[in-house]
Amino acid sequence: MDEPTRAPSRPAGAGELFQLLRDGRPRTRSDLAARTGQTRSTIAARVDQLLASGLVSPAGEAGSTGGRPPATFAFRPGARVVLAVDLGATHARLAVTDLAGSVLAEHDEQLAISAGPHVVLARVVEIGELLLERAGRPVSDLASVGVGLPGPVEHSTGRPVNPPIMPGWDDADVPGLLSDHLPVPVLVDNDVNLMALGEHATQWPTVDHLLYVKVSTGIGVGIISDGSLRRGAQGAAGDLGHVAVPGGANKPCSCGNTGCLEALASGPAIAATLTALGLPTRTGAEVVALVHAGDPDAARAVREAGRRIGAVLATCVNLLNPSVIVVGGQVADAGDHLLSGITEVVHARSLPLATQHLRIVGTRTGAAAGVLGASAMAAGHVLSASAIDALVG
Amino acid sequence: MDEPTRAPSRPAGAGELFQLLRDGRPRTRSDLAARTGQTRSTIAARVDQLLASGLVSPAGEAGSTGGRPPATFAFRPGARVVLAVDLGATHARLAVTDLAGSVLAEHDEQLAISAGPHVVLARVVEIGELLLERAGRPVSDLASVGVGLPGPVEHSTGRPVNPPIMPGWDDADVPGLLSDHLPVPVLVDNDVNLMALGEHATQWPTVDHLLYVKVSTGIGVGIISDGSLRRGAQGAAGDLGHVAVPGGANKPCSCGNTGCLEALASGPAIAATLTALGLPTRTGAEVVALVHAGDPDAARAVREAGRRIGAVLATCVNLLNPSVIVVGGQVADAGDHLLSGITEVVHARSLPLATQHLRIVGTRTGAAAGVLGASAMAAGHVLSASAIDALVG
């Protein structure tokens, strides 16, 4: 032997072939051969591998112009399930979904993130096992877990990085703590990124440039650019809470700076404004309740907060040129007042080329955005070309 | 026949295989088999295709532990050439480079973009043919052309979109006008995007998140995120000239708004400040000359402009979490004064997680950034997996 040889590990390409089937449309072997330029015999062998994996199943016969109609094949999203976990400061929302994000069982409860990773993640495992049971699926059907956390996360390791409202979680090994009990891949990201993923995957799958803005106790953005979530160098992208607002008041912020967006336009900031006007409120939820009760001062304060957010989003629009901005989070429940304020200033302060096709809309997935995004992240991980190749290899 | 059949158009994958060779390192067939999981016979056939195309050539023998040492193969960047064109408001810079961006011949001249697309592009063809001759390469060696323009461009069609300083160019068919004379693919983008590409490709190839800021008559940003240039929905991403500066003065801008970054920190804006101080100046170049002559007012005005730019970049840093910001453009020739002002405010107004590993540096490619980026864009187009597959198919 003049060169070291290695046995070919697998015929490459079943994973790539599977990507063509992920949209759920049934396809014939001929369709797949034409789309890939691969031979019929190669396609037949790869389809057999995918059928054996259970991720693809026969889907009936295609129409034919004569003779025996050809068989079709389609992605079978129910082949496996994922556990989707959205943890907030005081609230947990979990779901077991299929691989296309359809919810099979779900559960909400109050759960304080401040109880620390061991307590919180033990409870996540308990609820996860309960939901699998309720969905009638054994743990062996679980393909992966997706977790959203209310703070910065190093996505590659799944560890929180100095999260301000998560005492005890800094650098915690979230995947390790969960996979001791649920022995599958665990993906972790911050909640706003997952809301952007969830809204994009379920409502705007064909839009390549989308921003999802969460307006709540904090203010953050999830960025979809060229069809994918962009996390930045340390996974810190989208953290707009402490940027300075153009034209904004010099109000002190808890971070030590002044004039931060959160100090002017978050739920608690709007509540403080209303309290100063003689309407004692503490949280965004109380502000929203006042708006729904028809209080004009509350509506005006929410609209003004929208203008402050719009002043920062105008810079984001000029920088990234998205075609859709989705506004979600607790304060977005106040409805059109927030959207109007945002839209007014984004249009006043952005270039015509960047706004002529821009849509600014309220969330369609509401409080489910995060859990839908956790499901999309978890399913995306196990359905990637390389994961499928490893599975069928 | 019960299904329509098509002949396999090609054995898929020569293009993908070529991507493994693009870094220029010589590799053996065994290396390539191990990296792709493909069989030795498949690899041998694909390597033969790439050798026949001329894009890959034998690169000697690898070290061996005994027996005949195995042959290695490497990308041959000189196989073809590209024409790289950087057009500014009053200046043209062109180069013929190989497929790895090495300049074989170059030319600079004054050329007014306002002469319109027919006059300007005819001159581009003339210079291009001259440079090919000077590089000793026939037109048949030309693989593609890359063009940078000083205004917004729809990248997919290569047409300018309402460019403010390019009279007569709106919606001009730049690729069509050039390929009448140079019958190869023509790629077009705005100049700042190409500066980002050029700086990234040649100086920071392993950095995945980089912003290139051009400070000149206008102010713009080119965005590299997850390793690729991000252009946004209409190709308008990065246009920061007319965003509002947090804490900035309410100065009127030519766009009709007030407090725009360009009105406060562009070359002409700094010149206007100095003129008001009794130092008559008109352009960024004159400001830079004053700084180099040791004028303290000019140095102070440039530093203050840096602070204004920093206030906007701080928002960009919080939004995108880059690890490198490169500062270029005419005003950057003023040196550390501009960088210091930018760095001061970016650090004051960004989250620690986003700045702890952030480097803010001056351009290393200087006035060549745009033409290097045009070369990288043009070469990238013809070396993509699908382009190679079409070539060898």
Side-chain angles (χ1 to χ4, degrees):
Chain A
M1 295 292 291
D2 57 2
E3 286 183 58
T5 52
R6 301 184 198 197
S9 57
R10 56 190 158 72
E16 288 299 336
L17 191 69
F18 177 74
Q19 303 310 309
L20 296 177
L21 292 160
R22 271 183 76 176
D23 63 8
R25 287 182 47 199
R27 292 201 164 76
T28 65
R29 293 187 183 90
S30 293
D31 289 343
L32 295 169
R35 278 165 167 266
T36 58
Q38 293 171 336
T39 63
R40 289 287 304 279
S41 62
T42 301
I43 293 293
R46 288 173 186 172
V47 167
D48 285 347
Q49 289 179 304
L50 292 172
L51 287 168
S53 76
L55 288 171
V56 164
S57 60
E61 293 174 341
S64 171
T65 51
R68 186 165 61 82
T72 68
F73 304 92
F75 171 36
R76 194 164 71 90
R80 305 288 296 278
V81 297
V82 302
L83 175 62
V85 182
D86 181 23
L87 299 175
T90 59
H91 196 92
R93 185 177 180 121
L94 289 88
V96 165
T97 78
D98 70 13
L99 295 172
S102 294
V103 174
L104 307 177
E106 59 185 324
H107 176 83
D108 274 88
E109 68 177 33
Q110 294 304 112
L111 183 61
I113 199 90
S114 57
H118 290 274
V119 171
V120 169
L121 296 177
R123 181 65 189 144
V124 163
V125 170
E126 265 179 27
I127 303 173
E129 290 170 342
L130 187 80
L131 289 176
L132 284 168
E133 205 182 306
R134 213 189 288 163
R137 307 294 297 248
V139 176
S140 58
D141 274 5
L142 187 67
S144 54
V145 179
V147 181
L149 294 175
V153 173
E154 188 180 63
H155 179 65
S156 58
T157 61
R159 290 169 182 264
V161 184
N162 294 317
I165 63 163
M166 299 170 60
W169 286 79
D170 185 29
D171 204 36
D173 181 11
V174 177
L177 289 166
L178 282 177
S179 58
D180 282 351
H181 303 274
L182 301 169
V184 294
V186 176
L187 292 298
V188 191
D189 207 338
N190 85 68
D191 55 353
V192 185
N193 280 350
L194 293 187
M195 290 172 190
L197 263 189
E199 190 86 16
H200 181 252
T202 63
Q203 308 298 318
W204 306 91
T206 64
V207 167
D208 283 338
H209 299 271
L210 175 148
L211 299 180
Y212 178 97
V213 192
K214 177 194 174 193
V215 186
S216 186
T217 307
I219 299 176
V221 167
I223 303 164
I224 305 285
S225 178
D226 286 319
S228 295
L229 187 67
R230 304 296 164 193
R231 298 181 169 92
Q234 276 81 38
D239 207 338
L240 287 190
H242 301 282
V243 306
V245 181
N250 235 2
K251 200 167 157 186
C253 180
S254 60
C255 76
N257 253 319
T258 60
C260 296
L261 183 58
E262 257 177 46
L264 295 171
S266 66
I270 305 171
T273 302
L274 292 177
T275 301
L277 291 173
L279 290 158
T281 38
R282 280 184 316 112
T283 65
E286 291 172 19
V287 171
V288 170
L290 274 179
V291 171
H292 287 170
D295 184 276
D297 285 330
R300 200 174 299 120
V302 167
R303 184 179 292 248
E304 183 60 18
R307 290 193 188 99
R308 298 313 182 192
I309 296 165
V312 171
L313 285 180
T315 299
C316 301
V317 166
N318 285 280
L319 186 66
L320 291 172
N321 185 24
S323 42
V324 173
I325 296 178
V326 178
V327 182
Q330 194 183 54
V331 179
D333 294 341
D336 285 344
H337 303 288
L338 186 70
L339 274 184
S340 301
I342 290 174
T343 305
E344 172 191 326
V345 179
V346 166
H347 279 266
R349 288 294 334 189
S350 300
L351 296 173
L353 181 59
T355 52
Q356 63 186 351
H357 301 297
L358 175 65
R359 281 179 288 180
I360 303 176
V361 297
T363 172
R364 296 172 180 173
T365 57
V371 86
L372 292 172
S375 164
M377 174 173 69
H381 179 78
V382 295
L383 298 180
S384 71
S386 56
I388 298 286
D389 281 338
L391 180 73
V392 307
Chain B
M1 294 294 292
D2 57 2
E3 285 184 60
T5 54
R6 300 183 198 199
S9 58
R10 55 191 160 70
E16 288 299 336
L17 191 70
F18 177 75
Q19 303 310 311
L20 295 177
L21 291 160
R22 270 183 76 177
D23 63 8
R25 286 183 48 199
R27 292 201 164 77
T28 65
R29 293 188 184 89
S30 294
D31 289 343
L32 294 170
R35 279 165 168 266
T36 58
Q38 294 171 335
T39 63
R40 288 287 304 280
S41 61
T42 301
I43 293 293
R46 288 174 187 173
V47 166
D48 285 347
Q49 287 180 305
L50 292 172
L51 288 167
S53 77
L55 288 171
V56 164
S57 59
E61 293 174 341
S64 171
T65 52
R68 185 165 61 84
T72 68
F73 304 92
F75 172 35
R76 192 165 71 92
R80 305 287 296 278
V81 296
V82 301
L83 175 62
V85 182
D86 181 23
L87 299 175
T90 59
H91 196 91
R93 186 177 179 122
L94 288 89
V96 164
T97 79
D98 70 12
L99 296 171
S102 294
V103 174
L104 306 177
E106 60 184 325
H107 176 82
D108 273 89
E109 69 177 33
Q110 295 302 113
L111 183 61
I113 199 91
S114 57
H118 290 275
V119 172
V120 169
L121 296 177
R123 181 66 188 144
V124 163
V125 170
E126 265 178 27
I127 304 172
E129 289 171 343
L130 187 80
L131 290 175
L132 283 168
E133 205 183 306
R134 214 190 287 162
R137 306 294 297 249
V139 176
S140 58
D141 274 6
L142 187 67
S144 54
V145 178
V147 181
L149 295 175
V153 173
E154 187 180 63
H155 179 65
S156 58
T157 61
R159 292 169 181 264
V161 184
N162 293 319
I165 63 162
M166 298 170 61
W169 287 79
D170 184 29
D171 203 36
D173 181 12
V174 177
L177 289 166
L178 282 176
S179 58
D180 281 352
H181 303 275
L182 302 168
V184 294
V186 176
L187 292 300
V188 191
D189 206 339
N190 85 67
D191 56 353
V192 185
N193 281 350
L194 292 187
M195 290 172 189
L197 262 189
E199 191 86 16
H200 181 253
T202 63
Q203 308 299 317
W204 306 92
T206 64
V207 166
D208 283 336
H209 298 271
L210 175 147
L211 299 180
Y212 177 98
V213 192
K214 177 194 176 194
V215 186
S216 187
T217 306
I219 299 176
V221 166
I223 304 164
I224 305 286
S225 178
D226 286 319
S228 295
L229 187 65
R230 304 296 164 192
R231 298 181 169 94
Q234 276 82 38
D239 207 338
L240 287 189
H242 301 283
V243 307
V245 181
N250 234 0
K251 201 167 157 186
C253 180
S254 60
C255 76
N257 253 319
T258 60
C260 297
L261 182 57
E262 257 177 46
L264 295 171
S266 66
I270 305 171
T273 302
L274 292 177
T275 301
L277 290 174
L279 290 159
T281 39
R282 281 183 316 114
T283 66
E286 291 172 19
V287 171
V288 169
L290 275 179
V291 172
H292 287 170
D295 184 277
D297 286 329
R300 200 174 299 120
V302 167
R303 184 179 293 250
E304 183 59 19
R307 290 192 188 100
R308 297 313 181 191
I309 296 165
V312 171
L313 286 179
T315 299
C316 301
V317 166
N318 285 279
L319 185 66
L320 290 173
N321 185 24
S323 44
V324 173
I325 295 178
V326 178
V327 183
Q330 194 183 54
V331 179
D333 293 342
D336 285 344
H337 303 288
L338 187 70
L339 273 185
S340 301
I342 290 174
T343 305
E344 173 191 325
V345 179
V346 166
H347 279 266
R349 288 292 338 187
S350 300
L351 297 172
L353 180 60
T355 52
Q356 64 186 350
H357 301 297
L358 175 66
R359 282 180 288 180
I360 302 176
V361 298
T363 172
R364 296 172 179 172
T365 57
V371 85
L372 292 172
S375 164
M377 173 174 69
H381 178 78
V382 296
L383 298 179
S384 69
S386 56
I388 298 288
D389 281 337
L391 180 72
V392 307

